[in-house]
Amino acid sequence: MIEELVLRTAPQLIESFGIGSNTAAEILIVVGDNPERIRSEAALAKLAGISPILASSGMTSGRHRINHGGHRELNAAIYRTGLLRGSRTVGPLKMRVY
């Protein structure tokens, strides 16, 4: 049932490697709950808690730390997608897509 709803709403998410119906549903739920907050890729990264935060308060430049805020479920969905895409090897390989 979830897969049918996701395919009807955003079939391009399911077509991407590493994104299954549950992950796509989680992304759609978060984006649907916060449409006014997501105006760019950077805004989506901040909402998910995957954007870097400046670590220095002075003249030092280039230092960043991990953003520990954000929507945890969206962060986990993006993390799972990254794991699957990062572990892809050459040749036929059957992977489980969540």
Side-chain angles (χ1 to χ4, degrees):
M1 181 169 169
I2 289 177
E3 187 170 357
E4 294 171 9
L5 293 171
V6 170
L7 284 172
R8 197 175 334 141
T9 306
Q12 67 274 17
L13 281 177
I14 299 285
E15 292 171 1
S16 299
F17 176 76
I19 300 179
S21 58
N22 291 340
T23 303
E26 185 63 47
I27 292 169
L28 289 174
I29 289 168
V30 174
V31 171
D33 285 345
N34 302 289
E36 68 282 351
R37 291 182 62 188
I38 303 171
R39 300 190 187 276
S40 65
E41 291 178 5
L44 179 64
K46 186 172 184 177
L47 178 65
I50 56 174
S51 62
I53 298 175
L54 287 174
S56 63
S57 61
M59 300 292 287
T60 307
S61 63
R63 295 189 51 159
H64 293 85
R65 64 182 177 88
I66 296 173
N67 182 358
H68 293 290
H71 196 277
R72 301 315 309 159
E73 288 84 12
L74 179 59
N75 185 302
I78 293 172
Y79 179 76
R80 285 191 306 268
T81 302
L83 282 178
L84 285 171
R85 287 184 177 187
S87 65
R88 187 176 192 180
T89 60
V90 179
L93 180 64
K94 294 184 179 183
M95 295 185 143
R96 187 172 184 178
V97 179
Y98 296 95

